[in-house]
Amino acid sequence: MRIATWNVNSVKQRVPRLLPWLDQRAPDVVCLQETKLSDEAFAELLSAEFAARGYEVAAHGEGQWNGVALLSRVGLDDVVVGLPGGPGFPHQEARAISATCGGLRVYSVYVPNGRVPDSDHYRYKLEWLAALTRDVAPHADSAVVCGDVNIAPTDADVFDPAAYAGHTHVTGPERAALAALQDLGLHDVVRERWPDERVFSYWDYRAGMFHQNLGMRIDLILAATPLRDRVRAAWVDRHARKGAKPSDHAPVIVDLDEAPDGDIGPVVPPPSVGAPRRGKRLPQSDIAG
């Protein structure tokens, strides 16, 4: 089974990239984030295209902001939209959807940004992560949590820790909240498979960050302990971030039981700039959406 997650940063804008990518990579389960369409508009735009490729679809959107979706060719049962009992800002945003796919409880999540440490947005982010952890807990032995978590798990997951000092995405409370989710028995499959490699999944559009490989790893696939031995490949599809009108995120892919492309990774294709860069300032204070 091939599972993929991708923050597409507007599915309407990314259709010319998304559909060929589905044909090329042929994932069995796809988690999308930041779709930025209502459920009705999402269905009108893409339901026929997804059905032609054999996907069942569940979407949870709210118009021009946020939005998540699940595509599956291995079943799509017991769909739950949102986080029951979770926080709002002020209402519950379209940031989570889950379903049972091929015997796994799959979550597509778009964690709030947090904006500025110690702000109302930041506290909302921590409350949202606590609600996600509570929701996943009963399914911890079969869960796969996929998406844009808006947290770099460690300093190794940013191009230069000093550049992010004072920003969200790297603070202790955020990392502790992510660790609490993982303490349910979920494993960061890309990092576990490539413990010492330089791996990013997000690069700002500005200042040549992508071409200089100055990024962050904030898009994760967290898989339950029983799935660890089934992982055959885990990688970032950097090719999907290249070319015309890309998302600022690249897809993350994990192959269970068999790897159609072999045990490739951690980044495909590898960046031409691999050495760490120090002293580069971030092009914006609002690091990622």
Side-chain angles (χ1 to χ4, degrees):
M1 182 189 301
R2 171 166 283 182
I3 302 171
T5 184
W6 193 2
N7 178 326
V8 291
N9 190 10
S10 176
V11 72
K12 185 175 182 179
Q13 296 296 320
R14 232 55 67 194
V15 168
R17 305 295 302 263
L18 174 61
L19 297 180
W21 177 82
L22 290 173
D23 294 336
Q24 178 190 25
R25 299 304 188 192
D28 298 294
V29 178
V30 184
C31 299
L32 300 177
Q33 301 88 42
E34 211 169 352
T35 56
K36 297 183 179 179
L37 283 179
S38 68
D39 294 346
E40 295 78 11
F42 186 94
E44 182 178 356
L45 179 68
L46 286 165
S47 60
E49 295 285 1
F50 290 154
R53 290 165 172 81
Y55 289 108
E56 296 180 78
V57 180
H60 180 35
E62 57 180 274
Q64 67 183 116
W65 309 109
N66 307 317
V68 288
L70 275 169
L71 287 58
S72 176
R73 300 197 293 200
V74 292
L76 189 71
D77 302 310
D78 303 320
V79 175
V80 175
V81 298
L83 295 176
F89 200 80
H91 65 281
Q92 275 219 29
E93 299 176 302
R95 291 184 175 273
I97 190 168
S98 62
T100 300
C101 308
L104 306 179
R105 191 66 190 172
V106 180
Y107 289 76
S108 179
V109 302
Y110 178 43
V111 176
N113 177 287
R115 297 196 181 182
V116 179
D118 298 323
S119 66
D120 288 344
H121 291 272
Y122 182 85
R123 287 184 282 275
Y124 164 55
K125 180 178 189 174
L126 298 180
E127 293 171 4
W128 196 94
L129 285 162
L132 174 64
T133 301
R134 291 193 299 270
D135 196 77
V136 173
H139 311 286
D141 60 348
S142 64
V144 184
V145 179
C146 306
D148 177 359
V149 302
N150 267 319
I151 300 168
T154 72
D155 283 353
D157 298 305
V158 298
F159 75 88
D160 181 3
Y164 292 89
H167 295 280
T168 55
H169 297 61
V170 299
T171 66
E174 291 169 286
R175 287 175 169 172
L178 178 60
L181 175 62
Q182 292 184 250
D183 285 345
L184 296 176
L186 304 183
H187 301 268
D188 181 349
V189 292
V190 169
R191 183 52 74 200
E192 288 194 2
R193 200 156 190 88
W194 305 99
D196 302 315
E197 298 290 338
R198 185 171 165 84
V199 185
F200 304 135
S201 64
Y202 163 86
W203 301 261
D204 193 280
Y205 284 125
R206 292 179 274 185
M209 301 289 276
F210 177 67
H211 299 291
Q212 298 175 74
N213 197 33
L214 304 178
M216 312 175 72
R217 193 174 71 92
I218 57 176
D219 302 272
L220 307 182
I221 295 179
L222 305 176
T225 296
L227 302 179
R228 294 177 78 184
D229 292 340
R230 295 177 59 187
V231 176
R232 298 293 177 264
W235 45 290
V236 175
D237 188 359
R238 191 175 186 273
H239 182 76
R241 175 62 173 80
K242 301 172 71 174
K245 297 183 178 179
S247 171
D248 44 2
H249 296 252
V252 180
I253 295 174
V254 60
D255 290 316
L256 301 179
D257 303 323
E258 60 179 353
D261 300 299
D263 187 10
I264 56 176
V267 180
V268 180
S272 56
V273 179
R277 284 280 303 276
R278 306 299 182 194
K280 176 80 173 183
R281 296 185 63 184
L282 297 178
Q284 58 183 36
S285 59
D286 182 34
I287 298 171

